[in-house]
Amino acid sequence: MNAISRFGLTDLVEISKMSIQEYFLRLEAYQITRIDEQENIALQAWLNQTVQATKGSSKHPKPKYTKFDEFFDSTAYKNNVHKSFDPNYIPLNESEHESEQREQDEILQIYREREKQKEKQKQKGQPN
């Protein structure tokens, strides 16, 4: 009965050929799948609570997230997945957060280069 109801098997011949080890392996996989489903349900409940979060005073609450991308940035998540499989991946689309981060990194790089130049000039005895 478990093979039909939980494993999605309908062929009785295939079910009868299943060894006890295969049965327990499929049963374990089924239970792990159920835990994954329960985790997704719990995540959905948590996200529902999070998206209702507010900031400001209790008399004048304002939504913490005004745009969906502030709450869930799927572009950034997808880019991270692509980067994990291909270290040379260059995103076609940047999320707003990624764009801001890139700009901050570029500014920091320019600042560091300028500080190095100042240090070299200082060592040579030249004025800024």
Side-chain angles (χ1 to χ4, degrees), residues 103-116:
E103 289 172 8
Q104 289 175 2
D105 290 345
E106 289 172 359
I107 291 169
L108 182 60
Q109 182 66 26
I110 291 169
Y111 172 77
R112 286 180 177 159
E113 289 173 6
R114 179 66 181 136
E115 289 298 310
K116 284 180 184 179

Side-chain angles (χ1 to χ4, degrees), residues 8 16 51:
S16 67
V51 79

Side-chain angles (χ1 to χ4, degrees), residues 45-55 62-65 71:
W46 185 81
L47 291 173
N48 285 339
Q49 179 186 14
T50 303
V51 79
Q52 294 175 24
T54 59
K55 58 185 178 181
K62 296 178 183 171
K64 185 174 179 179
Y65 306 102
F71 176 71

